[in-house]
Amino acid sequence: MNLKVWIPVLAATFCAVPVCAMPEVPVASAKALGVTKGKPFREGLVFINGKYLPPPYVVSRWGTGLRINNKPITGQVIDWTEFLKTQQGVKVSRTETQAETAPAAEEKPAEPEVQESDEDVDTSLDDLFDDDPKPKAKKPAARRPVFKKAPARPKTLVSYSLDGEFVHNEASRALVTRINSARTEIDRTLRSGGFICFGDNYQRVSGDSRTAQRLLEKLPEMQRDASSPQSFISKVRGGGMVYFTDELCHDLYRNRIDYRRLMDRREQWKKDRQMENFLKDAGTPLF
C-alpha cells in the first residue's frame, strides 16, 4: 500500500499516503478491533504537522488507524467498511444522489479555410522583385471551444451497517495484520534512530539514523535564525534537506519555538553516544 521513493545519498524516503487532512478513525473500529501497543522507547525523532514530539514514544494501532503517544499520525490505514464487509450480518444500503453538473466542451463547427488564389501565389519575376508585393491572405485564428454544462449523472452511495456485535473471522484478522504491519514498520524506523515527519496535507517523510543525526545538527539553528517561511526554506535547501517539501517547511517554521527542545535533544544524544563509546571501550580487553 505504501510506495517509497528512495534518495540514497540522504537516506530519506517519501511515503505515499493520502494528501488530505487525516480523517478521524471511527470509534466503532477501536471497540471492535481493540488496540495494539508497542513498548516505549527513546530513540528516533517524531514530528506531527511540524510539531516536535519528544520521547519516549509508544507506537500503537487504535482501531483502523495508528497513533504515537495517543496522537493520531494517520487516518484509516484500511477503511472500516472493509471490515464490515467481512461480517455475515452486514446490511448494504444504496442511495442515489444528484451529482454536480460538470462543464463539457462543445466545439463549434470548423470554419472553411481561406484558400490562396492564383493571384496571391503568382511567382512571376516581376512579383518576386516588386518593392510593394501583394499581401497573402491569412487563415482566421482558431476559435476557442465554448463550454456548457453536461447533464448531471446520478451518483450511487453505498453504505454498510452492522446489527449486533462485530465477530472476528479469518478475513478480518488478515486486515488487522496488515494494519499491525504498518505499525511495526513505523516502530522499527524510530527504534533504529530514524526520523519521521507526519502531516495532514503532505506525504510522510522519513529517514534513517544518519539522516536524523544530520537533521538534529542543523534544524534547531535553522528554526531559531529564520525570519520568514521563505528564509527558512532557503536555509533548509542550502543545508541539503531537499527531501523537506515546502508544506513541511511551513509547518516546521510555524513551530520554530521547538528549536530549544531539539537543542536539548541533541545534547542528550551526544551524551548517550559518549556513554555508549565509554562502555564499549571499557569492555575491550587491555591485553
Side-chain angles (χ1 to χ4, degrees):
M1 183 177 179
N2 286 345
L3 174 67
K4 294 185 177 180
V5 179
W6 291 93
I7 307 176
V9 176
L10 300 169
T13 62
F14 292 91
C15 300
V17 293
V19 183
C20 58
M22 297 179 192
E24 291 187 7
V25 175
V27 176
S29 72
K31 290 181 179 179
L33 308 177
V35 176
T36 301
K37 279 190 175 183
K39 294 181 179 180
F41 57 92
R42 302 194 66 85
E43 294 80 12
L45 296 169
V46 174
F47 297 86
I48 302 177
N49 289 321
K51 182 70 178 173
Y52 168 63
L53 183 66
Y57 301 128
V58 175
V59 185
S60 60
R61 176 192 59 77
W62 193 85
T64 55
L66 302 178
R67 295 184 172 191
I68 294 181
N69 297 0
N70 290 324
K71 296 183 181 296
I73 57 172
T74 68
Q76 298 192 80
V77 179
I78 297 178
D79 198 278
W80 173 235
T81 58
E82 297 301 317
F83 286 89
L84 293 178
K85 292 176 185 179
T86 68
Q87 301 299 293
Q88 291 185 350
V90 66
K91 292 184 178 180
V92 183
S93 301
R94 291 179 172 81
T95 307
E96 285 196 357
T97 60
Q98 191 71 20
E100 294 182 359
T101 56
E106 179 192 17
E107 294 187 3
K108 288 189 173 182
E111 295 192 2
E113 295 183 358
V114 178
Q115 301 292 336
E116 294 179 339
S117 65
D118 292 339
E119 294 179 351
D120 292 330
V121 294
D122 188 2
T123 57
S124 64
L125 290 176
D126 291 338
D127 287 341
L128 288 175
F129 295 96
D130 192 356
D131 292 335
D132 187 17
K134 298 176 182 179
K136 293 185 178 181
K138 295 181 180 180
K139 294 182 180 180
R143 295 192 177 184
R144 294 182 180 179
V146 178
F147 290 87
K148 72 174 185 178
K149 290 186 177 181
R153 295 181 179 180
K155 226 177 174 184
T156 302
L157 299 179
V158 182
S159 60
Y160 299 84
S161 59
L162 181 66
D163 290 337
E165 294 185 0
F166 184 90
V167 179
H168 263 304
N169 52 44
E170 186 176 348
S172 66
R173 290 190 182 94
L175 295 176
V176 171
T177 299
R178 286 170 55 187
I179 303 177
N180 282 336
S181 296
R183 189 209 69 82
T184 301
E185 179 187 0
I186 292 172
D187 189 279
R188 186 186 298 116
T189 298
L190 295 174
R191 285 181 185 274
S192 63
F195 79 92
I196 307 180
C197 300
F198 301 94
D200 287 349
N201 301 308
Y202 45 83
Q203 294 180 344
R204 183 192 313 167
V205 178
S206 62
D208 62 12
S209 58
R210 287 185 296 179
T211 314
Q213 180 181 345
R214 296 191 196 101
L215 184 151
L216 203 54
E217 289 172 352
K218 299 178 179 180
L219 182 59
E221 283 73 20
M222 290 179 178
Q223 289 182 308
R224 182 195 63 190
D225 299 337
S227 58
S228 68
Q230 280 308 123
S231 69
F232 178 73
I233 292 175
S234 297
K235 292 177 184 296
V236 168
R237 299 288 180 264
M241 300 178 190
V242 297
Y243 44 87
F244 277 7
T245 63
D246 287 355
E247 293 81 6
L248 173 54
C249 287
H250 277 83
D251 276 355
L252 290 170
Y253 176 77
R254 189 162 49 248
N255 293 282
R256 58 191 180 280
I257 192 63
D258 286 342
Y259 81 88
R260 299 176 183 273
R261 287 186 174 184
L262 289 170
M263 285 181 172
D264 292 341
R265 180 68 186 279
R266 183 171 59 193
E267 289 303 312
Q268 186 60 50
W269 183 87
K270 290 179 180 178
K271 291 178 181 179
D272 292 343
R273 299 293 83 78
Q274 290 173 355
M275 180 59 68
E276 287 178 5
N277 294 332
F278 173 79
L279 296 174
K280 189 183 297 183
D281 294 339
T284 303
L286 297 177
F287 304 99

